[in-house]
Amino acid sequence: MGVEYRHFMVVDDADWRPQSDTAARVEAVLRDWSLIDGAEHTIDFSASQEKRGGSSNSAASPGPGVAVVYPGATGAAIEVVAGPSLFADMASDDRYLMRATLVIGDDFRVQWSSDSVYFELVSPPLANGAPIEGEDVDFNDSLFAASFPSEGASSPPVVVAHIEDRAKSSVAWDSCLGFWRGALLLTFGKDLPAFSEKVQALPAREFVAAISAALRGRLVEIGEFY
């Protein structure tokens, strides 16, 4: 199968919540940078298992949470955002992004762990001192490790990141909450960008700034080989 790479851009703010136009704003940036093309597919995390998946309006209020999945793109636009490929013989026209996935909602979501960085849930969110029960996330396609409703929460979850020594030089952040309510995930698949073996931060800082402005929040970038 081979090694593949995913790049998370998460809003590192415990008080952040999405607004009604958040998805539309992020989508506009992705289109401006030619990273998405084609119809969207939305998963409503508040729906029953049987009703998850299918088309939905990305401008609608996300409520507990939605994942808006955009088919990726190919060509030089990928290199503009991600920089050169790790493989010297890969032409710019052959570059690809498998998909872009926007996850937003009111629920707290614990960051997915990798072999290099393990996000340990020390404490779930509390409601008047009592732990809030997490939601079933078997369907989430490894977008996040655990999900907790925030309604009635008196404190957010507590998550600690454990970083393998071999990965410390690649981590692009000094501190990270380890949970979020909003994230954009870029799935590069086997087209490994060269930056993924260095500091795992996208070379196109203007793009990162534009996504941050669209989400109206401070971003932390988390790379993952899988």
Side-chain angles (χ1 to χ4, degrees):
M1 292 178 61
V3 175
E4 303 187 16
Y5 181 74
R6 304 195 302 175
H7 194 78
F8 290 83
M9 306 168 70
V10 307
V11 181
D12 197 51
D13 180 351
D15 297 322
W16 183 90
R17 290 179 185 267
Q19 299 174 353
S20 61
D21 65 343
T22 298
R25 288 167 58 90
V26 173
E27 181 176 323
V29 174
L30 293 172
R31 289 191 183 279
D32 284 347
W33 286 76
S34 301
L35 291 183
I36 61 172
D37 185 23
E40 66 194 35
H41 175 73
T42 302
I43 301 170
D44 182 354
F45 294 133
S46 66
S48 66
Q49 181 73 38
E50 292 76 16
K51 294 182 179 179
R52 286 177 181 139
S55 299
S56 181
N57 181 5
S58 64
S61 174
V66 297
V68 186
V69 184
Y70 302 96
T74 60
I78 311 306
E79 194 153 302
V80 170
V81 171
S85 172
L86 185 63
F87 309 109
D89 59 347
M90 179 170 280
S92 179
D93 289 345
D94 294 331
R95 302 297 302 281
Y96 66 89
L97 178 72
M98 289 179 62
R99 73 185 66 89
T101 307
L102 175 67
V103 183
I104 53 175
D106 293 335
D107 287 0
F108 296 114
R109 308 188 193 279
V110 178
Q111 172 65 31
W112 186 260
S113 296
S114 67
D115 290 339
S116 299
V117 184
Y118 169 58
F119 291 91
E120 178 190 6
L121 176 65
V122 176
S123 171
L126 304 177
N128 299 319
I132 294 176
E133 186 175 349
E135 303 285 348
D136 179 10
V137 295
D138 289 344
F139 60 89
N140 81 62
D141 193 28
S142 305
L143 300 175
F144 46 87
S147 176
F148 298 89
S150 65
E151 184 176 359
S154 54
S155 63
V158 177
V159 179
V160 174
H162 302 278
I163 307 171
E164 294 285 341
D165 287 344
R166 58 187 169 84
K168 288 181 178 178
S169 61
S170 297
V171 171
W173 37 272
D174 295 324
S175 64
C176 177
L177 290 173
F179 67 88
W180 40 264
R181 288 186 171 107
L184 176 66
L185 171 57
L186 302 180
T187 301
F188 290 94
K190 294 183 177 64
D191 181 6
L192 306 181
F195 79 84
S196 64
E197 288 205 335
K198 301 174 183 177
V199 177
Q200 292 171 347
L202 289 169
R205 302 316 298 168
E206 298 90 348
F207 171 74
V208 176
I211 293 294
S212 178
L215 287 167
R216 300 183 178 98
R218 172 183 174 269
L219 297 183
V220 164
E221 296 177 75
I222 304 173
E224 178 204 65
F225 289 104
Y226 66 105

